[in-house]
């Protein structure tokens, strides 16, 4: 694993934007796996700024997002599709028909999982997958479990994840109870992983993921087996990382 130590969130976001921009510059038709959540917002701002400055071209890029809530239409303001449009897609020249997310409204969950997995395959796989991490070590919506989920799947969210996500809704009852997510196997097939971790509240998860045993009880720990992981983390998040 390659580690970039950032002094704070701004530095982390700047480093991450530079790494993703380098990927796109070197391979303009890259397939980029994207994430939502608070962590990548600074990175998305950085990419939009590079585009605005004329330094980065997204016209040949394709994106696939890690996950989407089940039951929210794409236009819902808490859907991940809406998040991606407002934080990134609407600010850059990424063709609108080249950014893909699971369809949260699909009634047949299994069919949607198969469709999304096949879509990623048909794109030739993911060149660089962006990840954040949950407090419980989840990546995408792959929660701690008895076994690693292989392919895209529909998961029931844990109480802890519902609580963490309730800040975006009026109440916890409004947080969708299920989500579509790339599986651990889907994520592990990406040729490169770019993981961002910020804040003291993620220090325990970071240490468990990268220094602890590889176990589905800590889903991110599987990344220890990936051949090309770049971790960009700030000092607060690295507080318990001792190797
Ligand atoms: C989002 C995702 C999640 C988040 C994680 C951290 O698409 O897949 O795994 O990366 O929950 O979220 P934040 O960044 O809000 O702490």
């Amino acid at each position: 694993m390659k580690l970039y130590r950032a002094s704070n969130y701004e530095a982390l976001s700047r480093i991450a934007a530079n790494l993703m921009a380098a990927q796109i510059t070197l391979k303009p038709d890259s397939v980029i796996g994207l994430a939502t959540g608070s962590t990548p917002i600074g990175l998305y701002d950085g990419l939009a700024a590079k585009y605005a400055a004329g330094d980065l071209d997204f016209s040949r890029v394709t994106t696939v997002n890690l996950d989407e809530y089940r039951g929210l239409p794409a236009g819902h303001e808490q859907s991940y599709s809406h998040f991606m449009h407002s934080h990134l897609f609407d600010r850059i020249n990424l063709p609108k028909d080249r950014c893909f997310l699971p369809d949260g409204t699909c009634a047949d969950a299994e069919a949607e999982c198969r469709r999304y997995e096949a879509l990623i395959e048909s794109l030739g796989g993911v060149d660089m997958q962006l990840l954040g991490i949950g407090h419980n070590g989840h990546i995408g919506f792959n929660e701690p479990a008895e076994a690693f989920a292989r392919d895209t799947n529909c998961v029931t969210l844990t109480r802890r994840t519902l609580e963490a996500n309730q800040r975006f809704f009026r109440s916890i009852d409004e947080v969708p109870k299920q989500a579509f997510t790339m599986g651990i196997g889907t994520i592990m097939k990406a040729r490169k992983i770019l993981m961002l971790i910020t804040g003291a509240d993620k220090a325990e998860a970071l240490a468990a993921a990268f220094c602890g045993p590889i176990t589905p009880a800590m889903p991110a720990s599987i990344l220890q087996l990936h051949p090309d992981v770049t971790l960009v983390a700030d000092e607060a998040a690295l507080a318990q990382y001792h190797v």
Side-chain angles (χ1 to χ4, degrees):
M1 177 188 75
K2 185 162 187 179
L3 171 65
Y4 285 84
R5 286 179 176 271
S7 48
N8 54 32
Y9 180 69
E10 286 66 39
L12 171 149
S13 301
R14 197 172 56 247
I15 294 166
N18 286 340
L19 292 171
M20 196 168 278
Q23 169 68 36
I24 293 167
T25 302
L26 291 173
K27 187 169 188 278
D29 61 349
S30 287
V31 177
I32 306 283
L34 295 175
T36 59
S38 335
T39 309
I41 290 176
L43 156 65
Y44 294 152
D45 288 344
L47 293 176
K50 286 180 191 296
Y51 169 68
D55 292 338
L56 198 52
D57 175 23
F58 293 85
S59 63
R60 293 174 59 204
V61 170
T62 301
T63 66
V64 283
N65 262 76
L66 273 173
D67 42 18
E68 177 60 285
Y69 283 125
R70 181 162 191 219
L72 296 187
H76 188 287
E77 62 174 16
Q78 292 308 335
S79 72
Y80 285 175
S81 172
H82 184 271
F83 175 100
M84 289 309 307
H85 277 272
S86 61
H87 286 287
L88 187 65
F89 299 159
D90 294 347
R91 305 164 74 190
I92 58 177
N93 66 333
L94 179 71
K96 293 290 182 280
D97 59 350
R98 301 301 299 169
C99 41
F100 299 103
L101 292 94
D103 175 3
T105 60
C106 188
D108 184 343
E110 277 190 25
E112 177 55 13
C113 293
R114 281 197 303 273
R115 181 196 71 85
Y116 201 63
E117 197 68 27
L119 168 79
I120 296 168
E121 288 278 335
S122 73
L123 295 170
V126 173
D127 290 301
M128 174 181 270
Q129 176 65 55
L130 175 67
L131 294 177
I133 191 171
H135 294 106
N136 60 5
H138 73 218
I139 48 177
F141 267 125
N142 295 283
E143 303 281 11
E146 306 262 304
F148 291 111
R150 204 177 64 179
D151 296 339
T152 298
N153 59 102
C154 181
V155 293
T156 299
L157 306 185
T158 63
R159 181 81 196 168
R160 199 168 176 199
T161 299
L162 294 178
E163 283 166 4
N165 291 357
Q166 89 177 80
R167 65 193 192 276
F168 302 112
F169 293 82
R170 276 191 304 243
S171 77
I172 195 161
D173 297 331
E174 285 189 12
V175 185
K177 309 288 179 286
Q178 289 190 313
F180 291 106
T181 180
M182 287 185 194
I184 295 287
T186 327
I187 293 169
M188 288 295 281
K189 274 190 258 174
R191 286 181 273 283
K192 293 178 198 162
I193 301 281
L194 175 61
M195 179 166 235
L196 310 184
I197 310 185
T198 177
D201 59 317
K202 295 284 177 70
E204 205 176 309
L206 186 155
F210 291 101
C211 309
I214 298 168
T215 161
M218 171 49 61
S221 63
I222 193 82
L223 297 173
Q224 293 178 38
L225 297 179
H226 193 285
D228 194 340
V229 176
T230 300
L231 170 64
V232 187
D234 58 20
E235 292 297 349
L238 285 164
Q240 296 178 39
Y241 177 75
H242 306 296
V243 284

